[in-house]
């Protein structure tokens, strides 16, 4: 580009959310000599998918039904199915809660039975293409609690 002070940048489509992204611009003269450069003032995130709820901090009760919702931005390939996963131990292990056709962007999830309070729970969505490759994913921002039913 020559003589331009703005540029319509095509945001890349990553396979998962990318945090701490930065842009750098470098200016050169006609001989290739570097004149100046500048970078983003703050890191930014490129989101493929974002779990909207539950996001963390909630206390859920075994047997209740909770509506999960998520947003999806551009993915590299079309989403053929969505996997819903749960961790009860802070992410050490994840269990498959459900497999959904396509990308419905919401799901009525039945909170599983627990015998004791589980304080380090998160839900995760994994978006898959027709070949089973991950094209996007996100998890609850913070932990939620699952308590036994009364």
């Amino acid at each position: 580009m020559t003589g331009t002070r703005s540029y319509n940048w095509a945001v890349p489509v990553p396979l998962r959310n990318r945090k701490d992204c930065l842009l750098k611009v470098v200016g050169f003269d006609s001989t290739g000599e570097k004149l100046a450069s500048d970078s983003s003032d703050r890191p930014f995130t490129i989101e493929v998918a974002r779990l909207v709820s539950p996001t963390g901090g909630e206390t859920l009760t075994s047997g209740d039904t909770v509506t999960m919702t998520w947003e999806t931005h551009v993915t590299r390939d079309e989403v053929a199915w969505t996997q819903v996963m749960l961790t009860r131990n802070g992410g050490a292990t994840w269990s498959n809660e459900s497999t959904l056709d396509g990308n419905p962007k919401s799901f009525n999830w039945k909170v599983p039975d627990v015998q004791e309070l589980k304080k380090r729970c998160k839900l995760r969505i994994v978006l898959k293409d027709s070949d089973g490759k991950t094209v996007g994913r996100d998890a609850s921002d913070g932990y939620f609690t699952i308590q036994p039913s009364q």
Side-chain angles (χ1 to χ4, degrees):
M1 300 182 340
T2 59
T4 304
R5 296 189 187 267
S6 66
Y7 177 73
N8 289 327
W9 176 57
V11 178
V13 181
L15 290 175
R16 59 183 172 81
N17 295 348
R18 305 300 277 183
K19 297 180 180 181
D20 298 325
C21 298
L22 296 168
L23 280 178
K24 183 176 184 177
V25 177
V26 181
F28 297 91
D29 67 15
S30 60
T31 66
E33 182 82 21
K34 180 179 172 181
L35 297 174
S37 67
D38 193 20
S39 295
S40 305
D41 291 336
R42 292 180 188 83
F44 60 91
T45 299
I46 300 174
E47 280 186 342
V48 176
R50 182 172 65 90
L51 187 62
V52 176
S53 67
T55 59
E58 301 90 349
T59 298
L60 309 176
T61 302
S62 293
D64 285 353
T65 299
V66 174
T67 301
M68 295 177 59
T69 58
W70 60 92
E71 296 175 348
T72 305
H73 304 290
V74 177
T75 57
R76 285 192 181 179
D77 293 307
E78 186 176 338
V79 178
W81 51 282
T82 301
Q83 188 175 18
V84 176
M85 304 181 81
L86 169 70
T87 183
R88 300 177 200 191
N89 56 17
T93 58
W94 292 85
S95 61
N96 187 33
E97 292 293 294
S98 190
T99 300
L100 313 171
D101 288 335
N103 182 14
K105 299 183 184 176
S106 70
F107 174 63
N108 290 326
W109 173 64
K110 184 176 179 187
V111 180
D113 290 331
V114 295
Q115 302 304 309
E116 59 188 33
L117 208 60
K118 299 290 182 182
K119 294 183 177 183
R120 295 178 37 120
C121 302
K122 284 187 175 189
L123 283 165
R124 176 167 68 189
I125 53 153
V126 182
L127 309 174
K128 301 279 189 169
D129 68 12
S130 59
D131 293 328
K133 294 179 183 169
T134 299
V135 295
R137 74 178 192 182
D138 193 32
S140 305
D141 292 334
Y143 296 116
F144 57 86
T145 299
I146 299 177
Q147 64 185 0
S149 59
Q150 304 299 330

